Amino acid sequence: MPPVVPLLATVLVALCPFFVPRVSPPEWSARTGLLSAVPLAYLALLFAYVFGEDSYRGNGISRWDAYRSPGGALEPMFWATVALMVVAAGSMLLAIVQHRGLLMRASAVGATVVTLFLESRHCWDLA
């Protein structure tokens, strides 16, 4: 998978807050429900990218094995991203169930922050 794919996915997650309804009380729709799946879809793509074959070496080794250094920060940063994105998706689902627009917006912004500041750095380290 070329590095541009996770980069485009990062942009998609970064746009999440713009898709949250801005009216109060929020008008919930299928679009809002699908919004909560974006962090989980991003994680699935991220797992495929990180544990997929390293396109630079092209010898069957995964990016995880190729770029992970003992004592390095990539592994904790990756697992912190996974945990925070799961929390963001869970918060979005909770906001939908409870019809809480502020929680939905905060969760979308949280997913954006995690994606832009943690994972974009991680993806470029593995590129």
Side-chain angles (χ1 to χ4, degrees):
M1 174 184 320
V4 73
V5 174
L7 178 64
L8 292 175
T10 300
V11 171
L12 176 67
V13 175
L15 293 175
C16 278
F18 297 106
F19 293 106
V20 176
R22 297 196 186 274
V23 295
S24 184
E27 293 176 2
W28 303 103
S29 64
R31 179 183 77 174
T32 309
L34 288 174
L35 188 61
S36 65
V38 170
L40 298 177
Y42 180 75
L43 280 180
L45 179 75
L46 189 63
F47 270 93
Y49 179 74
V50 169
F51 294 106
E53 182 180 4
D54 178 30
S55 54
Y56 178 72
R57 289 180 174 80
N59 62 356
I61 192 170
S62 71
R63 285 182 177 89
W64 183 258
D65 292 329
Y67 296 101
R68 207 175 82 186
S69 61
L74 288 179
E75 186 172 350
M77 190 167 50
F78 175 77
W79 292 115
T81 300
V82 170
L84 291 170
M85 292 300 270
V86 168
V87 167
S91 297
M92 287 179 173
L93 288 173
L94 182 65
I96 290 170
V97 169
Q98 295 182 351
H99 294 285
R100 295 177 58 196
L102 184 60
L103 179 59
M104 185 66 168
R105 283 190 265 305
S107 300
V109 169
T112 297
V113 168
V114 169
T115 303
L116 291 178
F117 292 111
L118 281 177
E119 205 46 49
S120 60
R121 170 86 173 126
H122 187 261
C123 284
W124 285 113
D125 283 345
L126 294 177

